[in-house]
Amino acid sequence: MPSAGTADLVIVANRLPVDRVTLADGSPGWRTSPGGLVTAIEPVLRANDGVWVGWPGGTEQDLQPFEFDGLSLVPMTMSAEEVKDFYEGFSNGTLWPLYHDVVAKPEFHREWWDAYVGVNQRFAEKAAELASEGATVWVHDYQLQLVPQILRSLRPDLRIGFYLHIPFPPAELFQQLPWRRQILEGLLGADLVGFQMNGGAQNFVRLVRQRVGHKTHRDLVYLPDGRTVKAAAFPISIDAKGFEELARSERVEKRAETIRDALGSPRKVFLGVDRLDYTKGIYARLRAFSELIIDGHFDVEDAVFVQVATPSREQVEQYRILRDEIDRLVGHINGDLGRIGRPAISYLHSSYPREEMAALYRAADIMVVTPYRDGMNLVAKEYVATRYEDDGALVLSEFAGAADELRQAWLVNPYDINGMKSALLEAYAADERERGRRMKAMRKTVLQHDVAAWADAFLLELAAARGAHGKTVRPAKRS
Ligand code: ADP
Ligand code: G6P
């Protein structure tokens, strides 16, 4: 057993909350990493003393642990080959599409798998080195599903939790994976395996019974060594109060007004905010909006669409194809329907600070979130959190985890373009009372069930897990 470190809580995730970037003057700097995982975990680490192990992007090899904005970060290096085979390959060319309803075709390559095993081994070794005797290690997401098992073999004294931020697929899809048994066994190294939805937890337990042959009862798996592993749903959330406070600030209100002015003060602003990912349904949503203009329901003086699409995983072919397709579509729509100084779609590739995100949400009358499949979708919750006057409207895909909680949104099937058009139009035309009624109910849900409540629930369950050893970590404090 390696000697213990000093951290009572170790967060292990593929991404660090900041990415290594080159600043305008050529010097190295840091930028917030995109995505829901970072948004959710950052406040949890802030509330607990601990360290975060992860990759800062790139292939730089000379990286040392550092403090950033009060967080202790331990960077993991990645070689160019690992970036290609582990990150772009097995994580984002195999697992991501497989776990998202095969919206794109997953590829299976043995050398990608080998790289996945190697990187998981290194992350587990680093966590084993940093964790104190009996510490809690919380491993995150699909890139690191083998870490719990490797870590347990290195450090049986630890309390190990795993949380999957993306959907866990139904058995029919998961079974395609040539390494399905290894992944299930990897996850079973944890004391508690958390999922976004009940369905994911149930899929996992059923697969463990069928494929690994362990005894199970409801949400528990009984291992031959006497350990018990629990699988349960913990729907993730955001720092709702923090977002609301930001939205109420004068700076954000002013900025929201400036944004609307810059858009030409249309009667209604539609907004989409996504990583540029094929699961997000950006193409179909923009088509639906443009058809409403073509059909004469409104014109560009009445309504504009702001689509923020942060470039993501740009070396993966499917992502490049998507980017080209959307670029072309936006060009067509604006060429055909825009007027001078009035594009129908304002299309933005930038990454923004939280304050600017809040201003965009405040500037938007209708938020459009239409993924084909999404573990949760935090953007939907962020929008709701900023609408403190109970105004605004949310059009939300039935296939986002958030739809389970945000029942009062205008729910749509993103594969049904006509249905989506109707919902966009209804949200556009809804009167103040209708919008208020829906938003009020959704705000109650989001404010009550915030990220601190999510982390409390997971960490308390982990502390109580029957198979768990080790010390208990304080649940996250509420902001
Ligand atoms: P995913 O995790 O698949 O990217 P989510 O909607 O769950 O999707 O989370 C996205 C997170 O990234 C949100 O917190 C959102 O505010 C943030 N985000 C998305 N686009 C941008 C952007 N352009 N600039 C800054 N933050 C962004
Ligand atoms: C989603 C995943 C995260 C991932 C993020 C950004 O939120 O669940 O694990 O970090 O997308 O993707 P990237 O590939 O840039 O890390």
Side-chain angles (χ1 to χ4, degrees):
M1 186 166 118
S3 61
T6 55
D8 288 344
L9 174 67
V10 182
I11 301 278
V12 189
N14 182 52
R15 277 274 173 204
L16 277 182
V18 284
D19 269 357
R20 192 80 164 143
V21 288
T22 306
L23 301 174
D25 63 1
S27 66
W30 298 102
R31 183 189 57 198
T32 306
S33 318
L37 180 144
V38 164
T39 304
I41 309 301
E42 205 202 285
V44 176
L45 187 62
R46 267 185 210 294
N48 289 279
D49 281 340
V51 296
W52 183 325
V53 178
W55 175 54
T59 54
E60 204 179 318
Q61 295 298 310
D62 184 23
L63 297 167
Q64 298 304 321
F66 63 105
E67 296 274 320
F68 184 86
D69 197 13
L71 300 174
S72 294
L73 308 181
V74 179
M76 296 294 288
T77 57
M78 208 136 355
S79 68
E81 207 158 37
E82 284 171 338
V83 171
K84 189 165 92 17
D85 292 345
F86 158 78
Y87 171 68
E88 291 159 4
F90 200 76
S91 297
N92 291 311
T94 306
L95 294 173
W96 180 268
L98 183 71
Y99 283 29
H100 284 91
D101 274 3
V102 297
V103 171
K105 194 169 164 39
E107 288 183 41
F108 303 112
H109 297 295
R110 285 166 289 180
E111 64 278 18
W112 288 2
W113 166 253
D114 293 343
Y116 187 79
V117 175
V119 172
N120 273 251
Q121 176 79 34
R122 279 204 296 116
F123 272 71
E125 283 166 6
K126 181 53 80 179
E129 180 192 315
L130 294 165
S132 66
E133 180 72 33
T136 292
V137 179
W138 193 357
V139 184
H140 291 267
D141 231 0
Y142 60 100
Q143 304 93 340
L144 300 176
Q145 293 171 101
L146 306 179
V147 168
Q149 184 189 31
I150 303 170
L151 186 56
R152 180 161 302 283
S153 71
L154 293 171
R155 290 285 305 273
D157 59 302
L158 299 176
R159 202 179 277 270
I160 304 173
F162 180 91
Y163 186 78
L164 185 69
H165 291 249
I166 67 174
F168 190 80
E172 305 79 72
L173 296 181
F174 187 81
Q175 274 163 186
Q176 290 181 11
L177 194 62
W179 308 278
R180 57 200 180 191
R181 188 180 167 121
Q182 289 95 314
I183 296 274
L184 295 171
E185 285 176 340
L187 292 170
L188 287 172
D191 299 296
L192 175 64
V193 185
F195 299 87
Q196 297 280 14
M197 301 286 126
N198 275 324
Q202 286 161 4
N203 291 345
F204 172 71
V205 171
R206 195 173 322 119
L207 274 158
V208 165
R209 194 169 54 243
Q210 290 168 353
R211 292 280 153 203
V212 193
H214 292 326
K215 247 181 78 188
T216 67
H217 178 64
R218 294 174 187 262
D219 54 3
L220 295 177
V221 178
Y222 301 98
L223 285 108
D225 66 3
R227 271 196 322 119
T228 309
V229 179
K230 180 163 178 163
F234 300 87
I236 206 165
S237 196
I238 56 160
D239 173 12
K241 260 195 240 126
F243 253 100
E244 171 163 346
E245 270 163 33
L246 204 56
R248 283 179 184 275
S249 73
E250 214 183 303
R251 282 225 323 242
V252 166
E253 279 306 332
K254 282 231 169 76
R255 178 66 193 145
E257 272 170 38
T258 312
I259 292 172
R260 287 191 76 105
D261 289 349
L263 292 169
S265 307
R267 287 199 321 120
K268 295 277 159 93
V269 175
F270 289 77
L271 174 67
V273 174
D274 312 80
R275 270 183 314 99
L276 197 33
D277 194 297
Y278 51 79
T279 58
K280 302 288 183 182
I282 302 169
Y283 190 97
R285 148 194 337 160
L286 295 180
R287 257 191 67 194
F289 173 77
S290 70
E291 285 186 19
L292 289 173
I293 300 181
I294 295 167
D295 298 348
H297 292 291
F298 44 69
D299 70 13
V300 287
E301 306 295 326
D302 296 319
V304 297
F305 203 114
V306 178
Q307 176 65 55
V308 178
T310 330
S312 183
R313 307 171 192 168
E314 290 179 281
Q315 302 311 314
V316 180
E317 197 194 351
Q318 305 268 20
Y319 287 75
R320 283 206 209 144
I321 296 173
L322 176 81
R323 183 168 175 167
D324 287 350
E325 280 174 358
I326 296 182
D327 279 354
R328 267 201 304 276
L329 179 69
V330 171
H332 271 304
I333 294 175
N334 284 340
D336 291 348
L337 305 175
R339 305 211 186 114
I340 289 177
R342 274 297 179 123
I345 296 173
S346 287
Y347 185 46
L348 307 160
H349 276 313
S350 312
S351 184
Y352 298 108
R354 239 163 64 110
E355 200 170 285
E356 181 72 1
M357 298 299 290
L360 279 162
Y361 294 141
R362 291 294 303 159
D365 301 287
I366 301 135
M367 182 81 217
V368 192
V369 179
T370 55
Y372 293 120
R373 180 59 72 193
D374 209 330
M376 176 54 66
N377 196 286
L378 296 184
V379 163
K381 291 189 170 180
E382 288 170 359
Y383 178 71
V384 168
T386 64
R387 307 310 299 194
Y388 58 85
E389 286 168 319
D390 292 338
D391 60 354
L394 175 65
V395 175
L396 178 62
S397 164
E398 292 165 20
F399 305 131
D404 256 33
E405 292 168 83
L406 306 179
R407 305 302 304 168
Q408 298 80 9
W410 273 271
L411 293 176
V412 295
N413 170 358
Y415 293 95
D416 171 9
I417 301 244
N418 283 345
M420 209 147 52
K421 284 168 71 179
S422 306
L424 290 176
L425 208 51
E426 274 180 38
Y428 173 84
D431 62 26
E432 206 176 304
R433 262 190 60 202
E434 175 67 5
R435 289 197 309 262
R437 183 185 67 76
R438 290 174 183 248
M439 189 54 77
K440 195 170 180 181
M442 291 193 288
R443 285 180 50 72
K444 195 167 163 215
T445 308
V446 171
L447 281 160
Q448 256 171 17
H449 188 86
D450 64 0
V451 72
W454 167 77
D456 282 3
F458 187 92
L459 290 172
L460 283 173
E461 192 69 65
L462 180 56
R466 271 197 257 167
H469 323 258
K471 296 183 226 174
T472 306
V473 161
R474 268 176 297 128
K477 283 189 213 83
R478 276 159 200 287
S479 55

